[in-house]
Amino acid sequence: MQFLVMHLYFQILIVLCLITASLLALFYINNGLEKKDSSDIRSLPSHIKCDSGPRIIDFPKPLIGPLFNDNPSCACRNNNLLNQFVPENESQDLQKRRLEEYKQHQIRTGKQNDVLLIAPSNTPLQYPIRGFRVLPMNKTLIPGLAVQTPNRDVYQVSLRVGKGVLSVMDVQEGQDVDGQNEGNLTISSTSLEKLNDLLSRVTYTSTIYHIKTEDLAYFSFENHEVIFPIKIRRPSVPVLYDPGKDINSQVTVLVKAFLRYKELRVLIESIRVNYPNIKIIIADDSLNPEKIDGDNIEHYIMPPAQGWFAGRNLAVSQVTTKYFLWVDDDFVFLNETRIESFVKIMEAVPELDVVGGEVDGNRFAFKLLYQEGNSDEGGCITRVRATHGPVPGLDGCFFVDGVVNYFMGRTDAVRRVGFDPFLKRVAHTEFFIDGLGGLLVVTCQGLRIGHQKRASTGNYKHFRHPPKADSHRKLMHHYFKNYLKCISY
């Protein structure tokens, strides 16, 4: 009885297996698939004939490109849209110019080269994934190309590029290389060792001169394809500053002066207490300039009321030292004010560009929350009182995006950003907006300077607090220049 039950059980299993196989066969037929012969596991090179006819290799779609075609729209905390400050009769033309300038900016900054590359999970191809850099229009060996795979009758690989040509150096008679000095190169061999030897001699040459761009190389073998970047760069020449032997050859003190000569002279006297020989550069756009005397003082007279940032640009342009220290004309050096403390921090972390201190105990510093927004509307910036976190190895120092008006700057880095002379009266955060992503900024405790008592100085208040129309023009300026939809302080 037990034998009959087991026999019936196995018959039911066989019937179920047959039904399952039939359903799977129908599924494959309906979906245009056919069963492959077990001997046809790998793809054969196209020049090898097979009784079953040529095979077309269907490469998987390369995982390349930006994650999104465009960024989503953004919003600021106060949702104060900047386009409301554009006169209605100018809006259409300005929008057109703004978008065109933004497109050119994307090209100049190499945004078209910012693509996402995702490596395949498993491939027999060896290739450089980072650091392959070439000079423009110079032939360069591509390092690391190879195939690692079990035995084949014939091995065939192909490479293609978009901004240059490929070639194999010292090709001998009988070696199968097709596409020399073209954008598409095919190499075949019956020996894996010889194939890899040929791959070790593959070169790339860009065909269009550009000082900073990228190409993408597509490297394929059978049904495997990988992509790797080729950086095309013209190397830049170093610009170094001799730090000399003391603080006087390392740092220049910069001041923008306007009307407040009494305060300016107090500031200079306080500097000379501990730094009698350090150079002081004064950019002065006062209405009726007064002469400032003293050793190692450079006093530059500007046209009247040119503004805050025009003066900063002038002062920074005359610096010949590695660093400068920025102070306002109504600050005062204290007994504990030490320029050497700034330098020590900058030298400890060579990547730093700006180090901020504190004025009368106020260590004003902030983060800039920036969203690029979409290409039609522009980005959004919100300024918040916060830090990005502590600087490793420097107690009391924190990464930020902007600092108070008392800071040390790396001369060459700050010059690259510059100070927008359009901004005359109200301007500080705007420098750090222009430097966002280009300047590494920190704020540090214990770097103190004093502030003189505020006193009424003739027309100073009139210029210090401009009319609302000036603020509107400033916001319209940010709308175009920084391609912003909104800004929140």
Side-chain angles (χ1 to χ4, degrees), residues 410-474:
R410 188 177 299 275
T411 303
D412 58 346
V414 172
R415 277 183 184 154
R416 283 194 294 269
V417 176
F419 300 90
D420 185 354
F422 179 90
L423 305 169
K424 294 182 179 294
R425 304 289 164 245
V426 180
H428 179 67
T429 299
E430 293 72 16
F431 162 68
F432 293 103
I433 289 175
D434 289 349
L436 189 63
L439 296 176
L440 187 60
V441 184
V442 301
T443 180
C444 294
Q445 297 171 354
L447 305 175
R448 297 188 62 235
I449 197 170
H451 197 292
Q452 299 176 47
K453 290 184 178 180
R454 290 172 173 82
S456 178
T457 309
N459 293 325
Y460 183 81
K461 282 189 176 180
H462 167 73
F463 287 95
R464 180 67 178 83
H465 302 287
K468 185 172 287 188
D470 282 11
S471 297
H472 289 178
R473 281 193 294 270
K474 174 178 175 292

Side-chain angles (χ1 to χ4, degrees), residues 48-166:
I48 296 180
K49 293 183 179 180
C50 181
D51 292 341
S52 60
R55 282 195 57 183
I56 299 173
I57 301 172
D58 185 18
F59 286 112
K61 187 176 181 180
L63 293 170
I64 173 175
L67 284 172
F68 305 101
N69 291 329
D70 200 359
N71 293 311
S73 180
C74 61
C76 289
R77 195 166 46 193
N78 59 7
N79 205 28
N80 193 15
L81 301 181
L82 299 184
N83 60 3
Q84 66 179 300
F85 302 107
V86 180
E88 190 173 345
N89 62 337
E90 299 178 21
S91 180
Q92 189 172 352
D93 286 343
L94 186 135
Q95 286 273 23
K96 184 178 178 180
R97 299 196 307 271
R98 177 177 179 258
L99 181 58
E100 183 58 33
E101 286 297 311
Y102 181 66
K103 289 177 180 177
Q104 291 190 22
H105 166 77
Q106 298 285 79
I107 294 171
R108 285 185 57 80
T109 54
K111 291 289 185 180
Q112 74 275 18
N113 296 321
D114 291 344
V115 295
L116 175 70
L117 298 178
I118 299 178
S121 59
N122 188 20
T123 174
L125 299 172
Q126 177 182 296
Y127 55 99
I129 60 172
R130 181 184 177 188
F132 179 43
R133 180 178 295 195
V134 302
L135 292 170
M137 304 181 76
N138 275 256
K139 182 178 288 188
T140 308
L141 280 169
I142 302 178
L145 292 180
V147 175
Q148 310 293 340
T149 189
N151 292 336
R152 303 282 199 270
D153 294 328
V154 174
Y155 305 86
Q156 178 176 292
V157 297
S158 64
L159 293 108
R160 58 187 171 91
V161 292
K163 297 181 180 179
V165 295
L166 300 160

